[in-house]
Amino acid sequence: MTAGHATPGTVRPLIGTTGRRVRLGLVEGLDKRYGHLFADTFMSDFSERIARAGGVPVNLPYDADPEVLCHRLSGVVITGGQDVHPACWGGDPAVVRDVDPRDDPMVHDVERDYFEIALVRAALDRRVPVLGVCRGLQILNVALGGTLIPHLPPGSVEHLSASSPLFDGADDHAVTFEPGSIARRIFGASAVTNSWHHQAVDRCGAGLVVTGRTADGVVEAVELPGSPVLGVQWHPEWMEREDPAFDWLVTEGSRRI
């Protein structure tokens, strides 16, 4: 099977994507009778890009058992979102807001953190290909014992962009990739990317290596040598041009079928 061009009748790889859990009362215009209930939410951009690359997107709620999932899935995407709770990586607990994450989708959500960390570890144990996106890169690092920079200081490169999501990045946000890396093979020597993050990798987790940085030294890509694992700090699902990260993931996932 070639990614993006599955032959009718062939088995296509199941690619799981993570999401968020929110209170329905946050949805404007929804019948108030449902306001106390909760919903799992998933970015459809991931599903569209995975399907176009030749995979079958599968949404993964927190309630699913990571070990069982990794017996069935051919690939996993850990998606973006709120900051990883500092308790997971030894950060300052004073930054945590005393708000239920289901009432505000931008505050820390330990339930999500624990699920995604367990999912990464289960995937690594079974050699299920993993793509970490933005927060997902940071989860990948934390799952392996790494730490984070809690807030990037202002510098020569803008990382927390205020521009529209459908934007391929400013020229100053060019990521340079290490020779011999997965990132170099699929993105080339460098690539201009979008950017919406204020935290970044500090100390890498066990075995993880940095394979992409911007000019100010901020980590933008990580890998686990010898494994089908890639983390990118930008949002490939929001790039207007097709980002090859999804083709890579589906191709790697098809090898498990």
Side-chain angles (χ1 to χ4, degrees):
M1 185 186 78
T2 301
H5 302 281
T7 302
T10 61
V11 178
R12 300 167 66 188
L14 299 179
I15 308 295
T17 64
T18 62
R20 304 187 190 189
R21 183 161 290 175
V22 298
R23 193 183 300 274
L24 286 177
L26 297 177
V27 180
E28 186 176 353
L30 190 70
D31 191 313
K32 297 300 182 184
R33 290 177 296 176
Y34 309 123
H36 65 291
L37 301 175
F38 300 98
D40 289 328
T41 63
F42 301 87
M43 297 298 293
S44 61
D45 304 271
F46 283 106
S47 298
E48 292 171 3
R49 298 294 177 109
I50 290 167
R52 287 210 296 265
V56 177
V58 180
N59 294 333
L60 308 179
Y62 305 164
D63 313 274
D65 185 315
E67 295 288 344
V68 174
L69 287 175
C70 289
H71 279 276
R72 301 289 186 90
L73 296 173
S74 297
V76 170
V77 182
I78 310 298
T79 63
Q82 63 270 67
D83 297 343
V84 185
H85 197 290
C88 297
W89 54 272
D92 183 1
V95 304
V96 178
R97 291 169 55 194
D98 186 20
V99 179
D100 189 322
R102 296 168 298 183
D103 290 329
D104 183 344
M106 291 313 297
V107 303
H108 299 89
D109 186 346
V110 176
E111 188 178 8
R112 178 184 182 186
D113 295 338
Y114 289 166
F115 169 69
E116 291 183 339
I117 289 170
L119 181 60
V120 165
R121 290 172 177 167
L124 295 181
D125 286 345
R126 295 190 59 81
R127 293 189 61 80
V128 174
V130 176
L131 173 64
V133 170
C134 198
R135 162 195 159 92
L137 177 154
Q138 296 166 15
I139 281 284
L140 175 60
N141 188 49
V142 169
L144 290 169
T147 61
L148 304 177
I149 298 171
H151 191 71
L152 290 169
S156 59
V157 178
E158 182 182 23
H159 291 284
L160 189 57
S161 173
S163 62
S164 168
L166 293 180
F167 180 65
D168 281 355
D171 288 342
D172 73 330
H173 201 275
V175 181
T176 301
F177 303 106
E178 292 293 326
S181 64
I182 294 172
R184 180 72 167 251
R185 173 163 54 85
I186 67 176
F187 299 115
S190 66
V192 172
T193 70
N194 57 36
S195 185
W196 289 283
H197 66 107
H198 76 104
Q199 296 193 325
V201 167
D202 184 9
R203 176 176 55 78
C204 278
L208 208 63
V209 298
V210 177
T211 59
R213 295 182 186 269
T214 40
D216 57 355
V218 170
V219 174
E220 293 280 343
V222 297
E223 299 174 24
L224 194 62
S227 299
V229 174
L230 173 66
V232 297
Q233 190 58 70
W234 64 92
H235 284 265
E237 79 281 12
W238 287 342
M239 296 288 285
E240 290 185 290
R241 64 180 184 272
E242 290 292 322
D243 192 294
F246 296 107
D247 287 331
W248 168 81
L249 181 64
V250 170
T251 298
E252 289 293 331
S254 68
R255 294 173 178 160
R256 290 181 49 82
I257 297 175

